[in-house]
Amino acid sequence: MADLKVHGFWFSPYTWRVIWTLKLKGMPYEYIEEDNSNKSPQLLKYNPVHKKVPVLVHAGKPICESMIIVEYIDELWSQNSLVPADPYEKAVARFWVRYVEDMISAAAAQVFSNANGSEEQQRVINDIWQGFRVIEDQCFGNHKKYFGGDTLNTLDIAFGSFVKILVGLGDVFEVKMLPAESFPRLHTWFNNFMDVPIIRDNSPDHEKLVSTLKYFMEKALGSSSS
């Protein structure tokens, strides 16, 4: 049995990526829930640079950064491969994963700094929708069920975690973040993605997610007004 431990935080979409990947591979692991406001000595030891979750510890050796962990797991255990074998397809998948990561960084920087609604909030949503439009038009031309075709790949894992958060954020903003009329292919993809039993059964409860997002938004509002 593989000696695998995951240091994570239930609210972190980056943690979900690692959990989903291990579950898809059928790999047993020990999960250690971290307190974001009081990080364990083990986490600080294993990730002294960024001091963030997730961290995968394999046979005592730590691996950091969610998508690096996903590729590491995929290379070690070949069942249910998530990274395309073809070098070109692999490069394309990595390009779009990087695009999604850049989208997340930009959105995270804007959402909580512009939490007070009105025009600034709508501008943030419009920026997210612009990114969605690119993915809708460029990644789903062949009526694929998932980004990997009939099976999940790394882009599904990377983007799915982001969209799960955004759908919850939409409930906070009282806006549909992935409207079917604007993004029919992405909307269908997300439903297909969340219907995968391993994804659905290892994702946080939607109401709990929305409640926590509201808390963080209110906290951000309080910080910006003080």
Side-chain angles (χ1 to χ4, degrees), residues 90-164:
K90 184 184 295 185
V92 170
R94 283 177 169 165
F95 170 86
W96 286 110
V97 167
R98 173 49 54 193
Y99 182 84
V100 167
E101 298 292 75
D102 289 344
M103 277 183 65
I104 295 171
S105 296
Q110 294 183 69
V111 165
F112 291 105
S113 62
N114 297 295
N116 55 347
S118 70
E119 296 178 3
E120 290 186 350
Q121 188 182 96
Q122 187 59 50
R123 179 177 57 79
V124 173
I125 294 170
N126 288 340
D127 287 346
I128 292 169
W129 282 344
Q130 285 182 12
F132 281 2
R133 174 54 54 203
V134 172
I135 295 174
E136 169 93 5
D137 293 344
Q138 298 296 322
C139 296
F140 281 98
N142 298 319
H143 306 289
K144 296 186 293 185
K145 186 175 184 179
Y146 308 112
F147 287 110
D150 291 329
T151 58
L152 299 177
N153 75 5
T154 52
L155 184 51
D156 295 287
I157 298 296
F159 193 51
S161 61
F162 181 41
V163 177
K164 172 73 175 170

Side-chain angles (χ1 to χ4, degrees), residues 20-94:
W20 291 341
T21 301
L22 287 169
K23 291 289 188 179
L24 287 165
K25 295 288 184 176
M27 298 304 300
Y29 62 92
E30 178 186 349
Y31 178 73
I32 298 107
E33 175 73 8
E34 290 286 346
D35 181 347
N36 235 21
S37 60
N38 185 25
K39 296 169 184 176
S40 72
Q42 291 83 4
L43 175 63
L44 300 178
K45 171 188 172 183
Y46 289 137
N47 191 356
V49 177
H50 297 301
K51 302 178 177 63
K52 294 179 179 178
V53 296
V55 173
L56 175 73
V57 184
H58 180 206
K61 297 178 181 178
I63 303 97
C64 306
E65 299 296 318
S66 62
M67 294 313 295
I68 293 174
I69 296 171
V70 168
E71 289 203 15
Y72 176 84
I73 295 168
D74 196 69
E75 287 181 10
L76 276 181
W77 295 285
S78 59
Q79 64 270 29
N80 301 322
S81 181
L82 294 169
V83 177
D86 178 78
Y88 175 75
E89 294 298 328
K90 184 184 295 185
V92 170
R94 283 177 169 165

